[in-house]
Amino acid sequence: MLVLGIETSCDETGVALYNGETQHLAQVLHTQTALHARYGGVVPEIASRDHIRRIAPLIKTCLNNSHQSLSSIDAIAYTAGPGLSGALLVGASIAESLAFALNTPVIPVNHLEGHLLAALYPSHAIAFPFLALLVSGGHTQFFKVKAIGEYQLIGETLDDAAGEAFDKVAKLLGLPYPGAKQLSVLAKLGDPNRFRLPRPLSQRHDLMMSFSGLKTAMVHLVHTQQPMDETTKHDLCAAFQAAMVDVLVNKIRLGLSIYRMKRLVVAGGVSLNEQLRKALAVQAENNNWQIAYPPTELCADNGAMIAFAGTLNQRHLKSAGRFGVYPRWVLGQPLPTVHG
Ligand code: KG4
Ligand code: ZN
């Protein structure tokens, strides 16, 4: 089965083709980072307009690169939520209209399921059940995953997502948007012990998290360090990253112990963080955990994870035509009914 995957939930236009039999995956991706950089965050209207400009040429390129034609597509998977509604509508409209014209079915996919199942690509290296941490710019959530399609939300952030906090603190330190990656590069040069930041909700025996207090603590700390030299900047990056990593690792440890599990999936853009991976590798070694991450190129938003997830979970497969988008679709909840 050849599945075309389309992702447009935020600021990446992603298109991919996945062949379930051969496991061959081809993808093309356009990132809008440069368009949003001067605003310091994603501007929804600009995002939707750029998706409209990019999507059809990207589909063509993906087909050409794979030496495939529209007629060889068996189903079209697209991100139906969660995400920005205007941006989601671009992907949903092109997927539904293309499928209608080609007389193929569509598979509306939850963006978070795409992130999560990407850790199973290509060879299903981790067995069910497992604990999953989805940690991105829009979400920081824990799921108990029993099987493909069986997700139970068991904890989440009460305010900012981890990636959002990383990006906001990077901006505070004058790093260009989206600054998380650069913050982690500078953190390598710094001393994580010079400044001590809080570890919010670490006393709570549950999987709820909060990052806005940590961000506020950083705002105060940065104000006390003006004018700031480079060493101080590096030390602040290191202190912030250490706090974020501590919170995530401690909640993971708690989650695995509460649910008596040893298997873990970490997915979403923040799962690219080297320090987080290092800290988890130490824990895995000491506690005999098995950890799976998506391949690097499938960690942040992309169309491949949507094609792959659509192939693995076809519960939402339907004929093209009537459709909706679900900006707040909670993974594990049924697809809301479309009225009208
Ligand atoms: O999964 P993703 O591409 O998009 C969402 O669904 O949100 O995640 C993007 C987030 C951004 O906030 C980005 O700054 C963060 O992932 N990110 C990182 C790193 N690389 C990307 N955060 C921490 N360390 C990194 N190395
Ligand atoms: Zn994402």
Side-chain angles (χ1 to χ4, degrees):
M1 180 176 184
L2 187 68
V3 174
L4 175 71
I6 294 178
E7 156 63 34
T8 63
S9 68
C10 190
D11 60 345
E12 255 94 29
T13 320
V15 173
L17 278 167
Y18 178 63
N19 184 323
E21 280 78 46
T22 63
Q23 299 187 342
H24 183 259
L25 183 64
Q27 69 159 328
V28 286
L29 186 71
H30 173 75
T31 177
Q32 303 177 353
T33 306
L35 280 182
H36 302 287
R38 67 179 160 133
Y39 304 101
V42 177
V43 182
E45 179 65 21
I46 294 177
S48 316
R49 288 173 187 225
D50 198 59
H51 287 310
I52 290 172
R53 263 196 299 273
R54 304 285 174 179
I55 190 75
L58 280 175
I59 292 173
K60 247 189 199 163
T61 306
C62 193
L63 285 165
N64 288 344
N65 290 352
S66 322
H67 309 290
Q68 297 286 356
S69 62
L70 281 174
S71 58
S72 51
I73 295 170
D74 296 306
I76 302 182
Y78 66 91
T79 305
L84 303 169
S85 52
L88 289 166
L89 271 170
V90 177
S93 324
I94 191 139
E96 292 274 351
S97 46
L98 202 53
F100 187 79
L102 297 171
N103 197 22
T104 60
V106 289
I107 311 167
V109 173
N110 185 301
H111 179 81
L112 302 180
E113 184 177 26
H115 275 306
L116 197 155
L117 294 184
L120 302 186
Y121 179 80
S123 53
H124 296 244
I126 195 157
F128 297 102
F130 54 76
L131 183 84
L133 171 66
L134 277 171
V135 63
S136 70
H139 295 85
T140 305
Q141 297 183 321
F142 278 103
F143 291 92
K144 188 176 162 191
V145 182
K146 270 212 320 232
I148 287 168
E150 292 185 42
Y151 315 107
Q152 184 190 351
L153 180 63
I154 52 175
E156 62 184 326
T157 177
L158 297 170
D159 39 60
D160 291 359
E164 184 184 359
F166 261 107
D167 291 335
K168 284 179 177 168
V169 166
K171 188 176 173 188
L172 178 72
L173 292 168
L175 307 179
Y177 168 86
K181 187 166 180 211
Q182 208 184 332
L183 186 151
S184 70
V185 171
L186 296 185
K188 278 191 194 162
L189 308 171
D191 170 8
N193 299 314
R194 177 169 157 205
F195 301 107
R196 178 79 191 161
L197 287 160
R199 271 59 173 161
L201 304 194
S202 58
Q203 307 306 323
R204 274 177 66 155
H205 197 72
D206 63 22
L207 301 183
M208 302 312 279
M209 293 158 282
S210 165
F211 300 108
S212 76
L214 188 50
K215 189 186 61 193
T216 310
M218 273 301 281
V219 172
H220 292 309
L221 193 51
V222 166
H223 283 154
T224 64
Q225 299 299 314
Q226 300 299 332
M228 192 186 296
D229 57 43
E230 286 302 291
T231 306
T232 302
K233 189 191 256 189
H234 300 160
D235 293 345
L236 285 166
C237 289
F240 175 74
Q241 180 170 258
M244 293 295 290
V245 168
D246 260 10
V247 170
L248 294 172
V249 171
N250 287 334
K251 289 292 177 180
I252 285 170
R253 222 177 23 206
L254 183 61
L256 288 170
S257 125
I258 292 175
Y259 291 93
R260 296 172 194 281
M261 287 180 169
K262 293 271 185 193
R263 287 189 292 267
L264 171 72
V265 160
V266 186
V270 183
S271 72
L272 288 166
N273 187 275
E274 263 180 56
Q275 201 52 42
L276 176 64
R277 290 194 181 208
K278 271 191 196 157
L280 286 175
V282 171
Q283 293 289 329
E285 179 76 30
N286 294 341
N287 301 300
N288 207 16
W289 299 347
Q290 188 195 352
I291 309 181
Y293 299 96
T296 305
E297 66 281 10
L298 301 197
C299 275
D301 290 353
N302 64 84
M305 68 184 194
I306 302 304
F308 186 63
T311 306
L312 294 190
N313 182 4
Q314 297 184 16
R315 284 172 200 170
H316 299 309
L317 184 135
K318 66 175 191 73
S319 48
R322 180 178 294 187
F323 69 97
V325 293
Y326 314 99
R328 294 180 181 279
W329 182 9
V330 177
L331 182 60
Q333 300 288 311
L335 187 67
T337 318
V338 186
H339 300 285

